[in-house]
Amino acid sequence: MDPVSTSSAQPATTVQGLPTVILPGYLAGAAPYQPLAQWLSDRGFLTTVVPLQRSDWFPTLGGRPVTPILEALEATVAQVLAATGAAKINLIGHSAGGWISRIWLGDRPYGPTQQAWQGRDRTAVLICLGTPHRSQERWTRRNIDFVNEHYPDAFFKDVRYVCVAGKAVQGARRWGQWVAYNSYSLTIGQGDSWGDGITPIAAAHLEGALNLTYEAVYHSPRPNRLWYGSPEIAEQWRSHLVTTAA
């Protein structure tokens, strides 16, 4: 399957950025990220979305290894680097895509194939958007504990880590805030925290990373509300993408 890539014949700026890859969040396909990819491409960062479909996540359900997603990420990065001649990429991981990207950066054998992708050598910056970097939910913990045991915090010093959180919903046991309360409880054990409606701020940040929090930003793209990929929000974090001159 070829990666989903977008570009513009008339970019909005003269910035020459490193090629950029977006890894979707849990159970998400590539389609919702195409507007963000187009927006970044228009600003000089030729952006490719890992070409996932919802069904690609099914083998990972129940806390199984996320090897199929890592393989798709690896294949996409290899294609992008071969096509552009670049040595490194900017990597953007949304939600679970952030901690999965942290596995891909690493050199420890993982999963049933005991493979290590060593993506750090090909990555200039990892930007995590609403990523839950820790969890108390028993199935999710199988993978996240692996990440945090082997690659704690902003582990690789030759990779920039930027962690973006949203402050849109405070969890509460009332209508309109129940989903956030339950999600925050499963993530950090404190349901009345603030977050993006799915990921609490406390879980979205990593020690040693550049940690950013934006007001009124929700977890996923929905009509008529801000999320991490909305142009007015992406405009704030895109300055941390690496250009070829960096």
Side-chain angles (χ1 to χ4, degrees), residues 88-89 91 104-105 119-126 158-159:
K88 292 189 176 186
I89 60 162
L91 180 55
W104 180 79
L105 294 178
R120 61 179 289 199
D121 295 334
R122 292 167 285 161
T123 305
V125 61
L126 169 61
D158 51 350
V159 176

Side-chain angles (χ1 to χ4, degrees), residues 31-226:
Y33 300 88
Q34 292 189 55
L36 173 59
Q38 181 68 63
W39 187 89
L40 290 171
S41 294
D42 288 345
R43 282 148 185 82
F45 297 91
L46 180 65
T47 301
T48 303
V49 184
V50 178
L52 297 175
Q53 300 180 13
R54 183 179 178 87
S55 58
D56 292 324
W57 293 91
F58 293 170
T60 75
L61 295 176
R64 297 184 186 90
V66 292
T67 304
I69 310 304
L70 290 161
E71 291 173 344
L73 173 58
E74 173 67 23
T76 301
V77 172
Q79 290 180 41
V80 166
L81 293 180
T84 62
K88 292 189 176 186
I89 60 162
N90 295 310
L91 180 55
I92 300 170
H94 173 237
S95 194
W99 60 257
I100 293 172
S101 294
R102 290 169 62 201
I103 298 177
W104 180 79
L105 294 178
D107 55 5
R108 301 296 181 90
Y110 170 83
T113 62
Q114 290 293 284
Q115 185 171 351
W117 284 267
Q118 303 186 66
R120 61 179 289 199
D121 295 334
R122 292 167 285 161
T123 305
V125 61
L126 169 61
I127 297 183
C128 298
L129 305 176
T131 294
H133 290 294
R134 51 194 175 100
S135 176
Q136 297 188 9
E137 199 274 325
R138 64 173 181 154
W139 300 118
T140 308
R141 284 184 59 181
R142 293 181 180 180
N143 286 302
I144 294 184
D145 283 356
F146 174 89
V147 180
N148 291 327
E149 177 183 349
H150 294 294
Y151 317 114
D153 303 315
F155 186 76
F156 293 111
K157 302 310 177 188
D158 51 350
V159 176
R160 296 187 196 176
Y161 290 75
V162 180
C163 296
V164 185
K167 185 179 181 181
V169 183
Q170 183 178 25
R173 294 176 175 175
R174 64 171 67 97
W175 178 257
Q177 293 168 275
W178 265 108
V179 172
Y181 183 91
N182 289 333
S183 183
Y184 301 165
S185 295
L186 286 172
T187 305
I188 61 171
Q190 187 173 346
D192 60 355
S193 301
W194 278 93
D196 61 17
I198 297 295
T199 301
I201 295 169
H205 289 165
L206 287 173
E207 185 175 349
L210 175 61
N211 293 312
L212 307 171
T213 301
Y214 297 140
E215 297 285 337
V217 172
Y218 288 84
H219 188 75
S220 301
R222 295 287 188 276
N224 303 315
R225 75 180 191 188
L226 294 177

